[in-house]
Amino acid sequence: MRTSLLLLLLCLSGCTSKALFSPTKSWVDEPENFRDSYSDIILRHPDGLRLHGWWLPATGYVHGTVYFLHEGGQNISMVLPDIQWLPEQGYNVFLLDYRGYGLSEGKPKLPAVFDDVQLGLDWLRNARQTQGPLTVFGQSLGGAMAATVLGDEKNQNAADCVVLEAAFASYRGITDDVMKGSWLLWPLRWLVVPGMPGADLDPKSRIAGLAPTPLLVMHSEDDPVIPYQHGKRLFAAANEPKQFQRLRGGHIESTRDPAVQQRIVNFLEGNGCAAPAPQPPARDEVMDDMTPLPLPPAATGNNGYRF
């Protein structure tokens, strides 16, 4: 009886984590394949875990810094094609792997991973590398966790802008949706769903706390992973200032579209999250049009100087 109960608990624990997290250790790409410079960042968690991330510096004038949080089935090496345009637009980008992903230690589970997101935010707020306004950009699970963490009262005004793509509204709700799609997990829903974070930590419960930080919510009508209605519910729960961008196409595929990239840039520029490039000094037309005066004759003589 005890053995059977232990196996059930182990299965339950595994199913609870796998419902949202599919940690990937293998490396798919390297920043050097996309750009000339980057830095490895190692953050030490208070519980001793080492979390790994990449710092991608902006190209040219720095308009701001973006904290990017990836979805549950990726690691930072897999999202480079989706975000490499940001440094080209003048934004530093910090990519963080949650515990259990990539080179980060530990095993992912909630609510512990919220601490990982918080650790990256705290580091950015104090790092010398952070320049200009700070934007948090989260996709899917990363977007949901961004809403939960940033919606905490202690993080009010911690970011200057927030962009969420394909985020879900409820941890228990999306877990139920995911498990309904698997004949193997379907009968375990009544055991697993109650083990997810409660309504007080749900993105839709916390997202109102982001205000007055400008918020952009993006979601595809065709998303096969996170139903479109999750994005609509999340947006409805947010306070102004907020904008909603309806997308088309698959799950978190939109940022490779130049039109969507420009939409994000426009949002940042329109909400004070893009530091303007310095203007060249004004041309003094009066002085510029004056003919240069000739140099005076060089001094000569026994006690003179000649240049």
Side-chain angles (χ1 to χ4, degrees):
M1 178 63 178
R2 290 183 177 179
T3 301
S4 299
L5 180 59
L6 178 59
L7 289 175
L8 177 60
L9 291 175
L10 289 173
C11 177
L12 177 60
S13 175
C15 289
T16 301
S17 297
K18 290 179 180 178
L20 293 179
F21 299 104
S22 299
T24 304
K25 286 290 189 181
S26 58
W27 239 220
V28 174
D29 227 323
E30 296 280 354
E32 60 193 23
N33 294 330
F34 294 87
R35 54 189 298 105
D36 294 330
S37 62
Y38 74 95
S39 301
D40 287 286
I41 303 294
I42 303 297
L43 303 183
R44 175 76 71 173
H45 198 279
D47 63 11
L49 291 180
R50 290 161 55 91
L51 303 182
H52 172 256
W54 280 331
W55 178 265
L56 311 182
T59 302
Y61 182 78
V62 180
H63 292 291
T65 299
V66 175
Y67 180 21
F68 185 84
L69 300 168
H70 61 76
E71 71 151 350
Q74 298 177 322
N75 62 37
I76 57 175
S77 75
M78 302 170 73
V79 301
L80 290 170
D82 300 319
I83 56 86
Q84 53 85 22
W85 61 276
L86 281 165
E88 295 171 1
Q89 290 282 347
Y91 293 90
N92 300 317
V93 179
F94 175 54
L95 305 160
L96 178 69
D97 262 334
Y98 323 122
R99 61 185 67 198
Y101 286 80
L103 300 181
S104 293
E105 300 173 344
K107 294 183 179 180
K109 60 181 179 179
L110 292 178
V113 179
F114 295 147
D115 295 336
D116 302 346
V117 175
Q118 182 72 54
L119 183 64
L121 180 65
D122 292 341
W123 178 78
L124 278 170
R125 294 176 67 184
N126 295 283
R128 294 192 306 271
Q129 296 98 315
T130 303
Q131 297 171 271
L134 174 62
T135 295
V136 177
F137 183 2
Q139 289 185 324
S140 193
L141 175 65
M145 294 195 299
T148 295
V149 172
L150 290 172
D152 192 318
E153 186 177 356
K154 69 180 180 182
N155 287 323
Q156 189 170 32
N157 300 320
D160 297 294
C161 281
V162 178
V163 179
L164 307 178
E165 181 187 3
F168 50 82
S170 163
Y171 295 101
R172 293 183 180 181
I174 195 60
T175 301
D176 193 46
D177 289 341
V178 170
M179 297 186 75
K180 283 178 181 178
S182 168
W183 65 268
L184 183 63
L185 297 177
W186 179 288
L188 296 175
R189 286 165 46 233
W190 68 278
L191 287 172
V192 175
V193 171
M196 301 307 291
D200 60 317
L201 292 175
D202 276 345
K204 68 179 181 181
S205 298
R206 289 287 189 90
I207 197 167
L210 269 62
T213 300
L215 169 68
L216 173 63
V217 177
M218 306 190 299
H219 213 112
S220 172
E221 290 181 321
D222 312 313
D223 196 321
V225 179
I226 308 296
Y228 180 67
Q229 289 306 313
H230 275 268
K232 295 295 289 184
R233 288 198 294 269
L234 198 56
F235 180 74
N239 289 330
E240 297 285 354
K242 61 180 181 178
Q243 297 179 31
F244 187 85
Q245 178 64 54
R246 182 179 59 183
L247 305 172
R248 299 304 303 267
H251 185 60
I252 59 171
E253 294 179 351
S254 67
T255 50
R256 300 192 188 190
D257 183 343
V260 176
Q261 296 172 7
Q262 189 59 52
R263 177 70 181 83
I264 296 172
V265 169
N266 291 344
F267 168 77
L268 298 181
E269 292 178 348
N271 288 280
C273 290
Q279 297 296 317
R283 181 173 177 266
D284 190 331
E285 295 184 357
V286 176
M287 294 298 294
D288 288 348
D289 290 340
M290 293 180 66
T291 303
L293 295 175
L295 292 174
T300 58
N302 294 336
N303 58 355
Y305 295 94
R306 186 173 186 87
F307 297 96

